[in-house]
Amino acid sequence: MTRPTRRRTGRSRLSIALLACGACLTAASCTTGGEEDAPAGGPTAPPTVHTTPSAGARPGPLPLDSHFLSREDHHKLRSALDLLVAACMKRAGVPLPPAPAVTAEPPRHERRYGISSPDQAARYGYHLAGRTTPPTHPPVTARQQQALSGTPDGKPGPGGSPPEGCNAAAAGKITGTPSFPADALVVRQLNMDSFEQSKNDARVRTVLRKWSNCMKAGGFSYAGPLDAPRSMADGPRASAREIATAREDVACKDRTRLIEVWSAVESAYQHRLIKERAKELAAARRERDDRLRRAAEVLRSAAPSS
């Protein structure tokens, strides 16, 4: 489980393209920027599951998904920020080289409950399909970095760049703060809470035991499906042992219907959390829509006249 970290406002524009787009679309509780999350909590009585798990299902949408930034939202915000930073740096006389292209990320929930694709297990084990070396960012000079990050004495930076730096100045035009836009804290909290609550639910604990027993019968000893990748997916490519483990992992998930049960239970927790925190989520949605509106205005103003 990845915990959020406080974002530094002095980061290079070359990193804006990452914006939180990757991990938040794939990890169970991935976060991007913002304050530290509060501890998970929730009612003690487990919610009723209204969906019937079906054999062979794969991780699909969860109720909280509509409260997260979509891929399109990420692209719009990233593009607007890049334009604002580039214009600021150009005015200061210290333009940046183009940022590397961002590679596409897998679907948000692809590995929320561990690997689920038989084909990927057979080909890549626990490694991500198509994972390549991260793009190399062009070097940034000390002058460029100061224009990006701002000056410690509050005076204008190189070429008259803003004292807070071009990064924070650009962010301010979208968010009204020095921080880049990210998924709302309440959304990230509830995403973490629902995962933890569902993992500790008796119905999920039962299916986890079934999965573990299934794995033992195949010669593999793991308490849960999120344990196996931690010891295997660090190398450059999958070993024969890793592939064999991953294939049995997916097969045991299918036999026990682990993904279907866990997803159904977590959906029930998310529905309840959404109802309980409706006012906060509505406020977060309004803030998100306002930031997207500002980003759209930036993109429209930069578009060539027809």
Side-chain angles (χ1 to χ4, degrees):
M1 303 292 290
T2 305
R3 288 189 60 81
T5 54
R6 186 175 298 276
R7 186 180 298 280
R8 298 174 59 123
T9 58
R11 58 186 274 178
S12 165
R13 166 186 171 261
L14 299 178
S15 298
I16 290 179
L18 300 179
L19 247 185
C21 182
C24 288
L25 297 177
T26 58
S29 59
C30 167
T31 59
T32 306
E35 303 85 353
E36 289 291 332
D37 284 358
T44 55
T48 301
V49 173
H50 296 288
T51 57
T52 302
S54 58
R58 293 288 171 258
L62 288 171
L64 269 173
D65 287 359
S66 63
H67 296 274
F68 280 96
L69 290 163
S70 66
R71 291 180 184 274
E72 293 73 19
D73 293 342
H74 277 289
H75 178 72
K76 182 182 293 185
L77 291 165
R78 183 175 67 241
S79 298
L81 285 165
D82 280 347
L83 282 172
L84 290 171
V85 174
C88 178
M89 296 293 286
K90 184 177 180 180
R91 289 193 299 270
V94 285
L96 289 168
V102 178
T103 57
E105 293 288 339
R108 181 188 298 276
H109 303 305
E110 183 173 299
R111 298 202 178 189
R112 190 172 183 88
Y113 314 115
I115 191 171
S116 62
S117 167
D119 292 338
Q120 289 194 18
R123 295 181 62 187
Y124 305 106
Y126 291 105
H127 285 64
L128 292 176
R131 172 56 60 89
T132 58
T133 302
T136 301
H137 296 290
V140 177
T141 66
R143 184 176 173 84
Q144 288 173 326
Q145 187 60 56
Q146 189 174 37
L148 284 167
S149 304
T151 57
D153 57 8
K155 296 180 180 179
S161 55
E164 71 272 27
C166 286
N167 276 340
K173 293 182 179 179
I174 303 295
T175 68
T177 74
S179 300
F180 295 132
D183 291 303
L185 176 60
V186 63
V187 177
R188 292 181 278 121
Q189 282 181 320
L190 298 187
N191 185 53
M192 293 177 68
D193 289 353
S194 69
F195 184 84
E196 290 299 322
Q197 290 172 4
S198 64
K199 185 176 69 173
N200 293 318
D201 186 279
R203 293 160 291 191
V204 173
R205 291 201 305 269
T206 295
V207 78
L208 287 173
R209 285 194 297 270
K210 292 179 179 179
W211 175 90
S212 182
N213 290 335
C214 177
M215 290 291 285
K216 286 180 182 177
F220 306 96
S221 181
Y222 293 100
L226 302 183
D227 297 331
R230 294 176 184 173
S231 60
M232 291 190 169
D234 292 334
R237 60 181 60 86
S239 65
R241 175 70 176 178
E242 177 184 340
I243 289 175
T245 307
R247 294 180 68 176
E248 187 68 11
D249 181 346
V250 173
C252 285
K253 285 189 175 84
D254 286 344
R255 291 176 196 140
T256 61
R257 297 190 177 183
L258 181 146
I259 290 175
E260 300 88 83
V261 172
W262 197 342
S263 179
V265 171
E266 185 171 11
S267 291
Y269 278 101
Q270 286 199 1
H271 278 302
R272 184 162 69 181
L273 289 168
I274 288 170
K275 184 177 180 180
E276 291 172 348
R277 308 287 288 276
K279 290 184 179 179
E280 294 169 79
L281 289 170
R285 183 184 290 273
R286 289 192 295 271
E287 181 180 77
R288 180 191 67 182
D289 291 346
D290 186 55
R291 292 176 175 185
L292 289 168
R293 177 186 56 77
R294 295 179 192 176
E297 291 172 356
V298 170
L299 296 174
R300 278 196 300 271
S301 66
S305 302
S306 55

